[in-house]
Amino acid sequence: MYPNTPSPGNSNQNSYMVQKEDEIDLKVLLFNYLQYWPLILAFMVVGVVGAFLFNRYSTPIYKVESSVLVEDEEPALGMDLFESAGFGLQGKSNIEDEIGILKSYSLAEETISQLNLQVEYFEDGIITSSQLYGNLPIIVSVDWNHSQWVGGLFEIEIINDNSFEISIEDNDFRVFNPDDPFYKKYPEELDFDPVLNKSVYSFGEQIESDYLSFKVNNIKAEPGDKFEVRLVDVPTLALSFREELSVSPINKQASILLLSIETPVRKLGEEYINKLMEMYLKLELDEKNRASESTIRFIDQQLAGISDSLAFSENKLQEYRSDNNIFNLSEEGSVIFERLTELEKEESETEISLKYYETLNEYLESNQGGDLVAPSIIGITDPLLNSLVNALAELQAEQIKLRSNFTEQAPAVRENASRIASTKKQLQENTNLALNNTKNVLADIRNRIRMIESDINSLPKTERDLLGIQRQFSINENIYVYLLQKKAEAEITKASNMPKNTILDFAKAGQEPVAPKRSLNLLIGLILGLIVPIGFITVKDFLNTKIEDPKDLENQIKVPLIGMVGRNTSYDALPVLNNPRSTVTESFRSLRADMTYLSQQKDNLTILFTSSISGEGKTFVSINMASVYALMGKKTILIGLDLRKPKIAEDFGLPNDKGMSTCLSSDTPWQSVVKSSGHQDFDVILSGPIPPNPAELLLQDKFTQIINEIKQSYDVVVFDCPPVGLVSETKELFALADISFYVFRQGYSMKGNTQILNNLVEKGGVTKIYGILNDMHIDKGYGYGYGYGYGYGYGGNSYGYHEEATPLPWWKRALRRK
């Protein structure tokens, strides 16, 4: 028994009306794609060849790498007290700061300016151009204080040793304005530029227009050589290199930063990173030197005021000694002088400290910027004050770095600004306290000096005057020596300054390019060559509204799919009669065998064929189904009931002069319109002339009477009915048939037509109706033969069961259609 065929005792097929589960048959899905294997193979070959050509002609990209060791900052003396006080400076990430500096725009801009990269040179290759760098054949000197065309390409062709021709290769230019370097506009008209009006120039000649100012010098170019030149402004280059540069720690615990950049020119990448690291260390050293320079400037300011006083007091001392013939103090005067000198030295040092506190206080109150002088430079040993000043200087330097990369509203900038404000507040409180303490110490020293000064009155006047002059000289001399000492210390500190960070490895390009990735590209090409056709096939099948897969048809209709009829390659309307050993004939024999299980009628059988629309092959199936019964020896008659568009007469080569419409519209007996098909046991009643009211004719009681009489005269009666999806009378004919068949055509019938059949069963109450798939020619996968006589193994010529009809030539098929 065949699949989907009801048992002999089941006369009501409503038991079959259950929703079929949607199942995915992977084997069928695989064979559905394998039928397109030539297309898939062709795309895979194209994908691999395309990937090979891409690998062959794309510009290789190299990765240039270097490394920098970032030293952790040593905490300043007293910083532990500062952090324990809760001032919020702990936890600052030194690594992240250094990454921000290395990727800053200002550092990239300074590096590019040092390397002079604003002119790019290219040389034409077979397919692509290659960039030249170092050992250039020509040099283009650009005046960047003048407006310039940037972004596009100039072509320079060497004419001879003295001249060259310049032209536009790529006119994607913008105008760079040195007064507004970050904004570039498009030039209005390129064709009117004097450069294009005069295209031949001499080497060394200044080429100048509204948007150009440069000259070309020949180094080693030969006549006939061609080069492409692009002018690129520093801001554009800096932004580009900044984006391309990658800076990251080698791991989470390490303080080593890995710098890398990918470039088609290895030497350019190496020189850029090396210069970048050089500028980076120079920036760090300059920051350290600024503190020493600020200290030296502060001391110089103090020395400028004390040097004149020292010279004046020295001259006065010499004159007094000469005029009064006195050179040394008495023993008592020397003791008083030593005590007084010691106190006055202490007073001068305290005054310098007081002046520093006052200067620092003014700095904090005015909220001004600038470099801070460390207290330890001028002899102040307060650890907390030194820590606060150093911390504030670091935070301010950090804020400058952050602002060069982020806006004022960035979280990092705002957080650092909050730290600066907190540190300033704590420093101001500490400064005010130190300022008051210093004033008290200075007042105490001055009181002690006044007490000693009272002892001076006991000395003779000459000695007393000498003591005063020598005292003034000693004060100035001590201050001057003290300042010179501090200045020397600051200069030594500046000379000994070294960057705390260290270059571990200078830039070096890899031996092999990182792009194109040849193996990966070949794999991608192969995968794309596989995916593209499979995707196309999948989308095509998804958007296809025609019935192609018998499995899908079986799942969509709510009646059994009883059989499939293969494509009639001979284009003969009667393959069963004219080629009884063909595969198509076998499919009708298989369908005839199924009738044993579909109907209890053994001697008399009435079969009805219909479809959704015209062209689905119901007439072809009707004729050949009647033919297969006639070959069996059954007395068979085929009745054409499609009164609107008759086709049976044309297939049999009979005149459609009389038929069923003649009987129904007149008193003509049905026996008189029966015509012989030309084959034994096979008669035909044609539809006859097309009437004006076909539906009304078929609904007459006379028609039912005629059919009943025909059934008594023939063993098998076959109805060729009009499409039920287009006309209404077919619905009334189902009651006259023992078995009804609904014909679908592969690749022609719409998927929505299955709903017409389902409605007939669910709403129309039609029973004993089955589905047939006609014109089966698209193989949707191995195993879909179902035993219906097509594709189950019978059709292969190698088995020797059937003879396939030779298809007609194309010109005969064309004439046959006409």
Side-chain angles (χ1 to χ4, degrees), residues 173-193:
F173 287 100
R174 290 189 180 184
V175 175
F176 167 75
N177 184 359
D179 296 329
D180 190 6
F182 289 96
Y183 173 75
K184 288 174 282 293
K185 65 178 182 178
Y186 288 99
E188 297 176 357
E189 290 290 341
L190 299 180
D191 296 337
F192 295 104
D193 195 283

mmCIF file with all atom_site columns, all heavy atoms in Angstrom, residues 173-193:
data_model
loop_
_atom_site.group_PDB
_atom_site.id
_atom_site.type_symbol
_atom_site.label_atom_id
_atom_site.label_alt_id
_atom_site.label_comp_id
_atom_site.label_asym_id
_atom_site.label_entity_id
_atom_site.label_seq_id
_atom_site.pdbx_PDB_ins_code
_atom_site.Cartn_x
_atom_site.Cartn_y
_atom_site.Cartn_z
_atom_site.occupancy
_atom_site.B_iso_or_equiv
_atom_site.pdbx_formal_charge
_atom_site.auth_seq_id
_atom_site.auth_comp_id
_atom_site.auth_asym_id
_atom_site.auth_atom_id
_atom_site.pdbx_PDB_model_num
ATOM 1   N N   . PHE A 1 173 ? 40.239 67.701 -3.955  1.00 0.00 ? 173 PHE A N   1
ATOM 2   C CA  . PHE A 1 173 ? 41.030 68.663 -3.189  1.00 0.00 ? 173 PHE A CA  1
ATOM 3   C C   . PHE A 1 173 ? 40.160 69.422 -2.193  1.00 0.00 ? 173 PHE A C   1
ATOM 4   O O   . PHE A 1 173 ? 38.957 69.605 -2.394  1.00 0.00 ? 173 PHE A O   1
ATOM 5   C CB  . PHE A 1 173 ? 41.682 69.686 -4.129  1.00 0.00 ? 173 PHE A CB  1
ATOM 6   C CG  . PHE A 1 173 ? 42.822 69.126 -4.937  1.00 0.00 ? 173 PHE A CG  1
ATOM 7   C CD1 . PHE A 1 173 ? 42.623 68.750 -6.257  1.00 0.00 ? 173 PHE A CD1 1
ATOM 8   C CD2 . PHE A 1 173 ? 44.075 68.982 -4.390  1.00 0.00 ? 173 PHE A CD2 1
ATOM 9   C CE1 . PHE A 1 173 ? 43.655 68.243 -7.007  1.00 0.00 ? 173 PHE A CE1 1
ATOM 10  C CE2 . PHE A 1 173 ? 45.121 68.472 -5.132  1.00 0.00 ? 173 PHE A CE2 1
ATOM 11  C CZ  . PHE A 1 173 ? 44.909 68.094 -6.442  1.00 0.00 ? 173 PHE A CZ  1
ATOM 12  N N   . ARG A 1 174 ? 40.836 69.870 -1.150  1.00 0.00 ? 174 ARG A N   1
ATOM 13  C CA  . ARG A 1 174 ? 40.272 70.871 -0.243  1.00 0.00 ? 174 ARG A CA  1
ATOM 14  C C   . ARG A 1 174 ? 41.344 71.927 -0.009  1.00 0.00 ? 174 ARG A C   1
ATOM 15  O O   . ARG A 1 174 ? 42.541 71.660 -0.199  1.00 0.00 ? 174 ARG A O   1
ATOM 16  C CB  . ARG A 1 174 ? 39.845 70.253 1.087   1.00 0.00 ? 174 ARG A CB  1
ATOM 17  C CG  . ARG A 1 174 ? 38.625 69.347 0.966   1.00 0.00 ? 174 ARG A CG  1
ATOM 18  C CD  . ARG A 1 174 ? 38.109 68.946 2.317   1.00 0.00 ? 174 ARG A CD  1
ATOM 19  N NE  . ARG A 1 174 ? 36.940 68.081 2.210   1.00 0.00 ? 174 ARG A NE  1
ATOM 20  C CZ  . ARG A 1 174 ? 36.241 67.637 3.251   1.00 0.00 ? 174 ARG A CZ  1
ATOM 21  N NH1 . ARG A 1 174 ? 36.615 67.982 4.480   1.00 0.00 ? 174 ARG A NH1 1
ATOM 22  N NH2 . ARG A 1 174 ? 35.196 66.873 3.079   1.00 0.00 ? 174 ARG A NH2 1
ATOM 23  N N   . VAL A 1 175 ? 40.892 73.094 0.412   1.00 0.00 ? 175 VAL A N   1
ATOM 24  C CA  . VAL A 1 175 ? 41.822 74.201 0.593   1.00 0.00 ? 175 VAL A CA  1
ATOM 25  C C   . VAL A 1 175 ? 42.198 74.297 2.068   1.00 0.00 ? 175 VAL A C   1
ATOM 26  O O   . VAL A 1 175 ? 41.335 74.415 2.943   1.00 0.00 ? 175 VAL A O   1
ATOM 27  C CB  . VAL A 1 175 ? 41.202 75.524 0.111   1.00 0.00 ? 175 VAL A CB  1
ATOM 28  C CG1 . VAL A 1 175 ? 42.143 76.679 0.412   1.00 0.00 ? 175 VAL A CG1 1
ATOM 29  C CG2 . VAL A 1 175 ? 40.921 75.451 -1.381  1.00 0.00 ? 175 VAL A CG2 1
ATOM 30  N N   . PHE A 1 176 ? 43.512 74.229 2.313   1.00 0.00 ? 176 PHE A N   1
ATOM 31  C CA  . PHE A 1 176 ? 44.049 74.396 3.665   1.00 0.00 ? 176 PHE A CA  1
ATOM 32  C C   . PHE A 1 176 ? 44.408 75.855 3.876   1.00 0.00 ? 176 PHE A C   1
ATOM 33  O O   . PHE A 1 176 ? 45.139 76.456 3.093   1.00 0.00 ? 176 PHE A O   1
ATOM 34  C CB  . PHE A 1 176 ? 45.291 73.519 3.841   1.00 0.00 ? 176 PHE A CB  1
ATOM 35  C CG  . PHE A 1 176 ? 46.086 73.841 5.074   1.00 0.00 ? 176 PHE A CG  1
ATOM 36  C CD1 . PHE A 1 176 ? 45.655 73.456 6.326   1.00 0.00 ? 176 PHE A CD1 1
ATOM 37  C CD2 . PHE A 1 176 ? 47.281 74.560 4.977   1.00 0.00 ? 176 PHE A CD2 1
ATOM 38  C CE1 . PHE A 1 176 ? 46.394 73.758 7.466   1.00 0.00 ? 176 PHE A CE1 1
ATOM 39  C CE2 . PHE A 1 176 ? 48.025 74.860 6.100   1.00 0.00 ? 176 PHE A CE2 1
ATOM 40  C CZ  . PHE A 1 176 ? 47.582 74.458 7.347   1.00 0.00 ? 176 PHE A CZ  1
ATOM 41  N N   . ASN A 1 177 ? 43.860 76.424 4.956   1.00 0.00 ? 177 ASN A N   1
ATOM 42  C CA  . ASN A 1 177 ? 44.131 77.807 5.304   1.00 0.00 ? 177 ASN A CA  1
ATOM 43  C C   . ASN A 1 177 ? 44.971 77.820 6.573   1.00 0.00 ? 177 ASN A C   1
ATOM 44  O O   . ASN A 1 177 ? 44.524 77.347 7.626   1.00 0.00 ? 177 ASN A O   1
ATOM 45  C CB  . ASN A 1 177 ? 42.817 78.558 5.519   1.00 0.00 ? 177 ASN A CB  1
ATOM 46  C CG  . ASN A 1 177 ? 43.033 80.042 5.796   1.00 0.00 ? 177 ASN A CG  1
ATOM 47  O OD1 . ASN A 1 177 ? 44.173 80.518 5.840   1.00 0.00 ? 177 ASN A OD1 1
ATOM 48  N ND2 . ASN A 1 177 ? 41.955 80.767 5.989   1.00 0.00 ? 177 ASN A ND2 1
ATOM 49  N N   . PRO A 1 178 ? 46.200 78.340 6.523   1.00 0.00 ? 178 PRO A N   1
ATOM 50  C CA  . PRO A 1 178 ? 47.053 78.317 7.729   1.00 0.00 ? 178 PRO A CA  1
ATOM 51  C C   . PRO A 1 178 ? 46.484 79.132 8.876   1.00 0.00 ? 178 PRO A C   1
ATOM 52  O O   . PRO A 1 178 ? 46.826 78.879 10.030  1.00 0.00 ? 178 PRO A O   1
ATOM 53  C CB  . PRO A 1 178 ? 48.377 78.900 7.230   1.00 0.00 ? 178 PRO A CB  1
ATOM 54  C CG  . PRO A 1 178 ? 48.032 79.654 5.990   1.00 0.00 ? 178 PRO A CG  1
ATOM 55  C CD  . PRO A 1 178 ? 46.876 78.944 5.374   1.00 0.00 ? 178 PRO A CD  1
ATOM 56  N N   . ASP A 1 179 ? 45.597 80.099 8.575   1.00 0.00 ? 179 ASP A N   1
ATOM 57  C CA  . ASP A 1 179 ? 44.988 80.887 9.648   1.00 0.00 ? 179 ASP A CA  1
ATOM 58  C C   . ASP A 1 179 ? 43.886 80.114 10.360  1.00 0.00 ? 179 ASP A C   1
ATOM 59  O O   . ASP A 1 179 ? 43.502 80.464 11.477  1.00 0.00 ? 179 ASP A O   1
ATOM 60  C CB  . ASP A 1 179 ? 44.412 82.193 9.070   1.00 0.00 ? 179 ASP A CB  1
ATOM 61  C CG  . ASP A 1 179 ? 45.511 83.083 8.506   1.00 0.00 ? 179 ASP A CG  1
ATOM 62  O OD1 . ASP A 1 179 ? 46.640 83.028 9.030   1.00 0.00 ? 179 ASP A OD1 1
ATOM 63  O OD2 . ASP A 1 179 ? 45.243 83.828 7.534   1.00 0.00 ? 179 ASP A OD2 1
ATOM 64  N N   . ASP A 1 180 ? 43.344 79.097 9.701   1.00 0.00 ? 180 ASP A N   1
ATOM 65  C CA  . ASP A 1 180 ? 42.302 78.254 10.299  1.00 0.00 ? 180 ASP A CA  1
ATOM 66  C C   . ASP A 1 180 ? 42.600 76.802 9.913   1.00 0.00 ? 180 ASP A C   1
ATOM 67  O O   . ASP A 1 180 ? 41.934 76.217 9.055   1.00 0.00 ? 180 ASP A O   1
ATOM 68  C CB  . ASP A 1 180 ? 40.921 78.676 9.793   1.00 0.00 ? 180 ASP A CB  1
ATOM 69  C CG  . ASP A 1 180 ? 39.798 77.993 10.559  1.00 0.00 ? 180 ASP A CG  1
ATOM 70  O OD1 . ASP A 1 180 ? 40.090 77.283 11.540  1.00 0.00 ? 180 ASP A OD1 1
ATOM 71  O OD2 . ASP A 1 180 ? 38.628 78.163 10.161  1.00 0.00 ? 180 ASP A OD2 1
ATOM 72  N N   . PRO A 1 181 ? 43.624 76.205 10.517  1.00 0.00 ? 181 PRO A N   1
ATOM 73  C CA  . PRO A 1 181 ? 44.139 74.914 10.021  1.00 0.00 ? 181 PRO A CA  1
ATOM 74  C C   . PRO A 1 181 ? 43.187 73.743 10.186  1.00 0.00 ? 181 PRO A C   1
ATOM 75  O O   . PRO A 1 181 ? 43.326 72.745 9.489   1.00 0.00 ? 181 PRO A O   1
ATOM 76  C CB  . PRO A 1 181 ? 45.418 74.711 10.844  1.00 0.00 ? 181 PRO A CB  1
ATOM 77  C CG  . PRO A 1 181 ? 45.208 75.515 12.083  1.00 0.00 ? 181 PRO A CG  1
ATOM 78  C CD  . PRO A 1 181 ? 44.388 76.700 11.678  1.00 0.00 ? 181 PRO A CD  1
ATOM 79  N N   . PHE A 1 182 ? 42.226 73.846 11.097  1.00 0.00 ? 182 PHE A N   1
ATOM 80  C CA  . PHE A 1 182 ? 41.344 72.700 11.340  1.00 0.00 ? 182 PHE A CA  1
ATOM 81  C C   . PHE A 1 182 ? 40.110 72.706 10.451  1.00 0.00 ? 182 PHE A C   1
ATOM 82  O O   . PHE A 1 182 ? 39.322 71.771 10.481  1.00 0.00 ? 182 PHE A O   1
ATOM 83  C CB  . PHE A 1 182 ? 40.916 72.661 12.808  1.00 0.00 ? 182 PHE A CB  1
ATOM 84  C CG  . PHE A 1 182 ? 42.037 72.285 13.722  1.00 0.00 ? 182 PHE A CG  1
ATOM 85  C CD1 . PHE A 1 182 ? 42.788 73.253 14.362  1.00 0.00 ? 182 PHE A CD1 1
ATOM 86  C CD2 . PHE A 1 182 ? 42.367 70.961 13.935  1.00 0.00 ? 182 PHE A CD2 1
ATOM 87  C CE1 . PHE A 1 182 ? 43.830 72.913 15.204  1.00 0.00 ? 182 PHE A CE1 1
ATOM 88  C CE2 . PHE A 1 182 ? 43.404 70.605 14.777  1.00 0.00 ? 182 PHE A CE2 1
ATOM 89  C CZ  . PHE A 1 182 ? 44.143 71.588 15.408  1.00 0.00 ? 182 PHE A CZ  1
ATOM 90  N N   . TYR A 1 183 ? 39.922 73.743 9.671   1.00 0.00 ? 183 TYR A N   1
ATOM 91  C CA  . TYR A 1 183 ? 38.769 73.800 8.772   1.00 0.00 ? 183 TYR A CA  1
ATOM 92  C C   . TYR A 1 183 ? 39.270 73.915 7.346   1.00 0.00 ? 183 TYR A C   1
ATOM 93  O O   . TYR A 1 183 ? 40.067 74.796 7.027   1.00 0.00 ? 183 TYR A O   1
ATOM 94  C CB  . TYR A 1 183 ? 37.871 74.998 9.112   1.00 0.00 ? 183 TYR A CB  1
ATOM 95  C CG  . TYR A 1 183 ? 36.758 75.199 8.106   1.00 0.00 ? 183 TYR A CG  1
ATOM 96  C CD1 . TYR A 1 183 ? 35.658 74.363 8.088   1.00 0.00 ? 183 TYR A CD1 1
ATOM 97  C CD2 . TYR A 1 183 ? 36.837 76.219 7.160   1.00 0.00 ? 183 TYR A CD2 1
ATOM 98  C CE1 . TYR A 1 183 ? 34.644 74.535 7.159   1.00 0.00 ? 183 TYR A CE1 1
ATOM 99  C CE2 . TYR A 1 183 ? 35.821 76.404 6.230   1.00 0.00 ? 183 TYR A CE2 1
ATOM 100 C CZ  . TYR A 1 183 ? 34.735 75.559 6.238   1.00 0.00 ? 183 TYR A CZ  1
ATOM 101 O OH  . TYR A 1 183 ? 33.736 75.716 5.316   1.00 0.00 ? 183 TYR A OH  1
ATOM 102 N N   . LYS A 1 184 ? 38.807 73.037 6.483   1.00 0.00 ? 184 LYS A N   1
ATOM 103 C CA  . LYS A 1 184 ? 39.217 73.044 5.076   1.00 0.00 ? 184 LYS A CA  1
ATOM 104 C C   . LYS A 1 184 ? 37.972 73.122 4.207   1.00 0.00 ? 184 LYS A C   1
ATOM 105 O O   . LYS A 1 184 ? 36.997 72.405 4.451   1.00 0.00 ? 184 LYS A O   1
ATOM 106 C CB  . LYS A 1 184 ? 40.039 71.795 4.756   1.00 0.00 ? 184 LYS A CB  1
ATOM 107 C CG  . LYS A 1 184 ? 41.421 71.810 5.372   1.00 0.00 ? 184 LYS A CG  1
ATOM 108 C CD  . LYS A 1 184 ? 42.159 70.513 5.172   1.00 0.00 ? 184 LYS A CD  1
ATOM 109 C CE  . LYS A 1 184 ? 41.664 69.455 6.133   1.00 0.00 ? 184 LYS A CE  1
ATOM 110 N NZ  . LYS A 1 184 ? 41.981 69.753 7.527   1.00 0.00 ? 184 LYS A NZ  1
ATOM 111 N N   . LYS A 1 185 ? 38.009 73.953 3.211   1.00 0.00 ? 185 LYS A N   1
ATOM 112 C CA  . LYS A 1 185 ? 36.872 74.142 2.315   1.00 0.00 ? 185 LYS A CA  1
ATOM 113 C C   . LYS A 1 185 ? 37.229 73.653 0.923   1.00 0.00 ? 185 LYS A C   1
ATOM 114 O O   . LYS A 1 185 ? 38.394 73.484 0.571   1.00 0.00 ? 185 LYS A O   1
ATOM 115 C CB  . LYS A 1 185 ? 36.472 75.615 2.267   1.00 0.00 ? 185 LYS A CB  1
ATOM 116 C CG  . LYS A 1 185 ? 37.529 76.526 1.651   1.00 0.00 ? 185 LYS A CG  1
ATOM 117 C CD  . LYS A 1 185 ? 37.053 77.956 1.577   1.00 0.00 ? 185 LYS A CD  1
ATOM 118 C CE  . LYS A 1 185 ? 38.108 78.860 0.914   1.00 0.00 ? 185 LYS A CE  1
ATOM 119 N NZ  . LYS A 1 185 ? 37.653 80.247 0.788   1.00 0.00 ? 185 LYS A NZ  1
ATOM 120 N N   . TYR A 1 186 ? 36.182 73.418 0.106   1.00 0.00 ? 186 TYR A N   1
ATOM 121 C CA  . TYR A 1 186 ? 36.392 73.002 -1.275  1.00 0.00 ? 186 TYR A CA  1
ATOM 122 C C   . TYR A 1 186 ? 36.676 74.225 -2.133  1.00 0.00 ? 186 TYR A C   1
ATOM 123 O O   . TYR A 1 186 ? 36.003 75.254 -2.012  1.00 0.00 ? 186 TYR A O   1
ATOM 124 C CB  . TYR A 1 186 ? 35.157 72.293 -1.819  1.00 0.00 ? 186 TYR A CB  1
ATOM 125 C CG  . TYR A 1 186 ? 34.957 70.920 -1.236  1.00 0.00 ? 186 TYR A CG  1
ATOM 126 C CD1 . TYR A 1 186 ? 34.065 70.706 -0.185  1.00 0.00 ? 186 TYR A CD1 1
ATOM 127 C CD2 . TYR A 1 186 ? 35.667 69.829 -1.731  1.00 0.00 ? 186 TYR A CD2 1
ATOM 128 C CE1 . TYR A 1 186 ? 33.875 69.442 0.351   1.00 0.00 ? 186 TYR A CE1 1
ATOM 129 C CE2 . TYR A 1 186 ? 35.485 68.563 -1.197  1.00 0.00 ? 186 TYR A CE2 1
ATOM 130 C CZ  . TYR A 1 186 ? 34.586 68.378 -0.163  1.00 0.00 ? 186 TYR A CZ  1
ATOM 131 O OH  . TYR A 1 186 ? 34.419 67.139 0.363   1.00 0.00 ? 186 TYR A OH  1
ATOM 132 N N   . PRO A 1 187 ? 37.646 74.134 -3.037  1.00 0.00 ? 187 PRO A N   1
ATOM 133 C CA  . PRO A 1 187 ? 37.887 75.265 -3.947  1.00 0.00 ? 187 PRO A CA  1
ATOM 134 C C   . PRO A 1 187 ? 36.733 75.419 -4.925  1.00 0.00 ? 187 PRO A C   1
ATOM 135 O O   . PRO A 1 187 ? 36.081 74.439 -5.292  1.00 0.00 ? 187 PRO A O   1
ATOM 136 C CB  . PRO A 1 187 ? 39.187 74.868 -4.661  1.00 0.00 ? 187 PRO A CB  1
ATOM 137 C CG  . PRO A 1 187 ? 39.240 73.378 -4.550  1.00 0.00 ? 187 PRO A CG  1
ATOM 138 C CD  . PRO A 1 187 ? 38.576 73.027 -3.249  1.00 0.00 ? 187 PRO A CD  1
ATOM 139 N N   . GLU A 1 188 ? 36.478 76.649 -5.328  1.00 0.00 ? 188 GLU A N   1
ATOM 140 C CA  . GLU A 1 188 ? 35.327 76.905 -6.190  1.00 0.00 ? 188 GLU A CA  1
ATOM 141 C C   . GLU A 1 188 ? 35.549 76.350 -7.596  1.00 0.00 ? 188 GLU A C   1
ATOM 142 O O   . GLU A 1 188 ? 34.741 75.602 -8.119  1.00 0.00 ? 188 GLU A O   1
ATOM 143 C CB  . GLU A 1 188 ? 35.059 78.415 -6.245  1.00 0.00 ? 188 GLU A CB  1
ATOM 144 C CG  . GLU A 1 188 ? 34.693 79.001 -4.882  1.00 0.00 ? 188 GLU A CG  1
ATOM 145 C CD  . GLU A 1 188 ? 34.521 80.503 -4.950  1.00 0.00 ? 188 GLU A CD  1
ATOM 146 O OE1 . GLU A 1 188 ? 34.752 81.070 -6.033  1.00 0.00 ? 188 GLU A OE1 1
ATOM 147 O OE2 . GLU A 1 188 ? 34.148 81.086 -3.922  1.00 0.00 ? 188 GLU A OE2 1
ATOM 148 N N   . GLU A 1 189 ? 36.629 76.726 -8.236  1.00 0.00 ? 189 GLU A N   1
ATOM 149 C CA  . GLU A 1 189 ? 36.896 76.272 -9.596  1.00 0.00 ? 189 GLU A CA  1
ATOM 150 C C   . GLU A 1 189 ? 38.362 75.855 -9.702  1.00 0.00 ? 189 GLU A C   1
ATOM 151 O O   . GLU A 1 189 ? 39.258 76.669 -9.525  1.00 0.00 ? 189 GLU A O   1
ATOM 152 C CB  . GLU A 1 189 ? 36.605 77.386 -10.617 1.00 0.00 ? 189 GLU A CB  1
ATOM 153 C CG  . GLU A 1 189 ? 35.133 77.710 -10.771 1.00 0.00 ? 189 GLU A CG  1
ATOM 154 C CD  . GLU A 1 189 ? 34.364 76.593 -11.470 1.00 0.00 ? 189 GLU A CD  1
ATOM 155 O OE1 . GLU A 1 189 ? 35.017 75.762 -12.135 1.00 0.00 ? 189 GLU A OE1 1
ATOM 156 O OE2 . GLU A 1 189 ? 33.129 76.561 -11.348 1.00 0.00 ? 189 GLU A OE2 1
ATOM 157 N N   . LEU A 1 190 ? 38.576 74.573 -10.003 1.00 0.00 ? 190 LEU A N   1
ATOM 158 C CA  . LEU A 1 190 ? 39.945 74.104 -10.154 1.00 0.00 ? 190 LEU A CA  1
ATOM 159 C C   . LEU A 1 190 ? 40.499 74.403 -11.545 1.00 0.00 ? 190 LEU A C   1
ATOM 160 O O   . LEU A 1 190 ? 41.695 74.580 -11.723 1.00 0.00 ? 190 LEU A O   1
ATOM 161 C CB  . LEU A 1 190 ? 40.012 72.597 -9.896  1.00 0.00 ? 190 LEU A CB  1
ATOM 162 C CG  . LEU A 1 190 ? 39.592 72.122 -8.501  1.00 0.00 ? 190 LEU A CG  1
ATOM 163 C CD1 . LEU A 1 190 ? 39.720 70.608 -8.421  1.00 0.00 ? 190 LEU A CD1 1
ATOM 164 C CD2 . LEU A 1 190 ? 40.414 72.768 -7.419  1.00 0.00 ? 190 LEU A CD2 1
ATOM 165 N N   . ASP A 1 191 ? 39.611 74.454 -12.532 1.00 0.00 ? 191 ASP A N   1
ATOM 166 C CA  . ASP A 1 191 ? 40.072 74.582 -13.921 1.00 0.00 ? 191 ASP A CA  1
ATOM 167 C C   . ASP A 1 191 ? 40.725 75.926 -14.204 1.00 0.00 ? 191 ASP A C   1
ATOM 168 O O   . ASP A 1 191 ? 41.455 76.061 -15.182 1.00 0.00 ? 191 ASP A O   1
ATOM 169 C CB  . ASP A 1 191 ? 38.892 74.372 -14.874 1.00 0.00 ? 191 ASP A CB  1
ATOM 170 C CG  . ASP A 1 191 ? 38.349 72.953 -14.768 1.00 0.00 ? 191 ASP A CG  1
ATOM 171 O OD1 . ASP A 1 191 ? 39.119 72.085 -14.338 1.00 0.00 ? 191 ASP A OD1 1
ATOM 172 O OD2 . ASP A 1 191 ? 37.184 72.728 -15.102 1.00 0.00 ? 191 ASP A OD2 1
ATOM 173 N N   . PHE A 1 192 ? 40.433 76.936 -13.405 1.00 0.00 ? 192 PHE A N   1
ATOM 174 C CA  . PHE A 1 192 ? 40.972 78.265 -13.672 1.00 0.00 ? 192 PHE A CA  1
ATOM 175 C C   . PHE A 1 192 ? 42.253 78.543 -12.897 1.00 0.00 ? 192 PHE A C   1
ATOM 176 O O   . PHE A 1 192 ? 42.739 79.654 -12.891 1.00 0.00 ? 192 PHE A O   1
ATOM 177 C CB  . PHE A 1 192 ? 39.928 79.330 -13.323 1.00 0.00 ? 192 PHE A CB  1
ATOM 178 C CG  . PHE A 1 192 ? 38.709 79.251 -14.201 1.00 0.00 ? 192 PHE A CG  1
ATOM 179 C CD1 . PHE A 1 192 ? 37.537 78.704 -13.727 1.00 0.00 ? 192 PHE A CD1 1
ATOM 180 C CD2 . PHE A 1 192 ? 38.750 79.713 -15.503 1.00 0.00 ? 192 PHE A CD2 1
ATOM 181 C CE1 . PHE A 1 192 ? 36.417 78.620 -14.529 1.00 0.00 ? 192 PHE A CE1 1
ATOM 182 C CE2 . PHE A 1 192 ? 37.634 79.635 -16.313 1.00 0.00 ? 192 PHE A CE2 1
ATOM 183 C CZ  . PHE A 1 192 ? 36.457 79.084 -15.833 1.00 0.00 ? 192 PHE A CZ  1
ATOM 184 N N   . ASP A 1 193 ? 42.777 77.531 -12.252 1.00 0.00 ? 193 ASP A N   1
ATOM 185 C CA  . ASP A 1 193 ? 44.009 77.755 -11.510 1.00 0.00 ? 193 ASP A CA  1
ATOM 186 C C   . ASP A 1 193 ? 45.174 77.936 -12.486 1.00 0.00 ? 193 ASP A C   1
ATOM 187 O O   . ASP A 1 193 ? 45.275 77.203 -13.474 1.00 0.00 ? 193 ASP A O   1
ATOM 188 C CB  . ASP A 1 193 ? 44.297 76.575 -10.585 1.00 0.00 ? 193 ASP A CB  1
ATOM 189 C CG  . ASP A 1 193 ? 45.338 76.925 -9.548  1.00 0.00 ? 193 ASP A CG  1
ATOM 190 O OD1 . ASP A 1 193 ? 46.524 76.959 -9.908  1.00 0.00 ? 193 ASP A OD1 1
ATOM 191 O OD2 . ASP A 1 193 ? 44.944 77.173 -8.401  1.00 0.00 ? 193 ASP A OD2 1
#
